[in-house]
């Protein structure tokens, strides 16, 4: 009887440990970074998240006007091994983990462009609306170890309005593997002349209509910045996230009449329900 009881205890203990391991496996994110949402709970198949956030941010690139804006949050995802395909708002993309230390990502997104009405004080009057269009974003992160404590990041954005590049380093805080916790990134951003003038250039026609000096920017350093991301699972279904960004413009950008501030900043918080 004692042997039978001991055997049952061993079986029950093994079953408990197995269920615990399965539960932990279900919560393992593709990459444990708070900046990358993963609603698949570590399983192949579909993942869904839907939520809403509020951001306090500058009205447009270079603006000294701030305001609140509601933003939808979440995504539809499909996971297959170390690959996640997703649709999030106006972006359709893929990200994949390779050799545990390489994260590659590609997406196509829609850029809405700046509008004259973005400035409540009329600072953009006469400049017209910016062009809308699709952009291709390619990104790679290279971790120094499989726990993704530190990494290097590079990103290229290309489209009809020019090209932008970002390079930086990041650090993750906490030991969670479910994508919760926090991280911080330090980055330098570069643009070509076409992308620079999309946001900060003023051609002859715009100068005549707005009264601002004609301005033409060349390619080079756009800004240096720091961003912080936070994500916390309140329970199995509810998740809270937060983000903050500060970007300090280069001297060429600050010289543009459109740049009424030397920096861009935003802070946001929101909730997501994971189905």
């Amino acid at each position: 009887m004692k042997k039978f009881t001991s055997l049952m205890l061993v079986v029950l203990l093994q079953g408990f440990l197995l269920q615990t391991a399965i539960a932990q496996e279900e919560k393992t994110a593709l990459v444990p970074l708070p900046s990358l949402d993963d609603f698949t709970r570590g399983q192949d198949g579909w993942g869904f998240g839907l939520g809403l956030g509020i951001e306090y941010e500058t009205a447009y690139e270079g603006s000294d006007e701030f305001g609140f804006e509601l933003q939808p949050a979440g995504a539809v995802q499909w996971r297959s091994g170390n690959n996640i395909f997703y649709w999030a708002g106006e972006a359709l993309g893929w990200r994949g983990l390779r050799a545990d230390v390489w994260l590659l990502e590609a997406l196509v997104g829609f850029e809405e462009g700046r509008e004259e009405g973005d400035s409540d004080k009329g600072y953009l009057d006469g400049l017209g609306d910016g062009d809308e269009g699709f952009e291709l974003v390619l990104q790679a992160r290279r971790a120094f170890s499989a726990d993704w404590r530190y990494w290097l990041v590079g990103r290229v954005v290309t489209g009809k309005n020019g090209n932008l590049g970002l390079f930086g380093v990041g650090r993750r805080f906490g030991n969670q593997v479910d994508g919760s916790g926090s991280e911080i990134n330090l980055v330098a951003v570069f643009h070509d002349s076409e992308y620079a003038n999309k946001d900060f250039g003023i051609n002859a026609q715009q100068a005549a209509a707005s009264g601002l000096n004609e301005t033409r920017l060349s390619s080079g350093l756009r800004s240096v910045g720091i961003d912080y991301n936070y994500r916390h699972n309140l329970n199995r279904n509810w998740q809270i996230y937060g983000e903050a960004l500060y970007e300090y413009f280069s001297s060429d950008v600050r010289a543009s009449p459109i740049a009424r501030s030397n920096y861009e900043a935003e802070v946001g918080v929101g909730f997501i329900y994971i189905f």
Side-chain angles (χ1 to χ4, degrees):
M1 184 65 178
K2 290 182 178 180
K3 291 184 178 179
F4 177 77
T5 303
S6 299
L7 179 60
M8 289 300 296
L9 288 174
V10 170
V11 171
L12 290 173
L13 179 60
Q14 289 178 338
F16 172 77
L17 293 176
L18 178 60
Q19 291 300 318
T20 301
I22 291 175
Q24 291 177 346
E25 182 67 23
E26 287 179 348
K27 296 179 180 179
T28 301
L30 179 67
V31 178
L33 299 182
S35 60
L36 303 174
D37 49 24
D38 185 346
F39 306 134
T40 65
R41 295 191 173 96
Q43 302 297 304
D44 285 357
W46 292 100
F48 302 91
L50 182 64
L52 186 68
I54 184 169
E55 296 181 351
Y56 183 69
E57 60 183 352
T58 49
Y60 56 91
E61 295 277 0
S63 173
D64 60 356
E65 302 171 65
F66 286 79
F68 290 97
E69 184 175 357
L70 290 176
Q71 292 284 354
V76 177
Q77 302 174 337
W78 186 77
R79 181 167 179 171
S80 176
N82 287 330
N83 299 280
I84 290 181
F85 301 86
Y86 62 89
W87 171 49
E90 297 177 331
L92 184 66
W94 158 86
R95 68 175 63 112
L97 181 65
R98 299 294 181 266
D100 292 329
V101 294
W102 280 100
L103 179 67
L104 307 177
E105 185 167 9
L107 68 90
V108 175
F110 184 75
E111 170 60 40
E112 294 182 352
R114 187 185 65 203
E115 299 180 358
E116 276 195 19
D118 287 343
S119 173
D120 292 335
K121 298 180 180 180
Y123 294 142
L124 299 177
D125 291 352
L127 297 181
D129 296 340
D131 292 336
E132 299 179 339
F134 289 94
E135 293 181 330
L136 173 65
V137 181
L138 303 174
Q139 179 172 267
R141 300 198 198 195
R142 173 58 163 90
F144 294 114
S145 61
D147 64 357
W148 283 84
R149 182 66 58 200
Y150 298 93
W151 62 85
L152 302 175
V153 59
R155 181 187 306 156
V156 174
V157 180
T158 183
K160 62 178 294 185
N161 294 318
N163 305 286
L164 177 144
L166 177 151
F167 305 93
V169 296
R171 185 188 193 282
R172 179 174 72 96
F173 303 92
N175 298 311
Q176 300 94 321
V177 296
D178 59 0
S180 63
S182 60
E183 72 176 68
I184 193 168
N185 293 271
L186 300 174
V187 299
V189 184
F190 300 85
H191 52 201
D192 64 11
S193 59
E194 188 174 1
Y195 201 100
N197 287 287
K198 171 181 73 73
D199 295 321
F200 300 105
I202 302 172
N203 59 34
Q205 182 179 357
Q206 291 173 322
S210 66
L212 299 175
N213 293 330
E214 185 174 350
T215 302
R216 179 72 183 176
L217 278 72
S218 58
S219 59
L221 178 67
R222 180 185 182 91
S223 63
V224 292
I226 181 171
D227 68 81
Y228 173 82
N229 289 273
Y230 171 82
R231 194 177 297 271
H232 176 69
N233 295 317
L234 299 173
N235 52 43
R236 177 176 173 81
N237 297 106
W238 282 103
Q239 186 179 89
I240 184 174
Y241 70 90
E243 55 188 0
L245 167 71
Y246 178 84
E247 184 179 7
Y248 187 75
F249 294 126
S250 68
S251 57
D252 286 346
V253 171
R254 298 198 306 269
S256 169
I258 296 176
R260 305 188 64 87
S261 176
N262 295 335
Y263 66 91
E264 179 184 2
E266 67 178 64
V267 59
V269 64
F271 292 88
I272 297 176
Y273 184 85
I274 303 173
F275 294 86

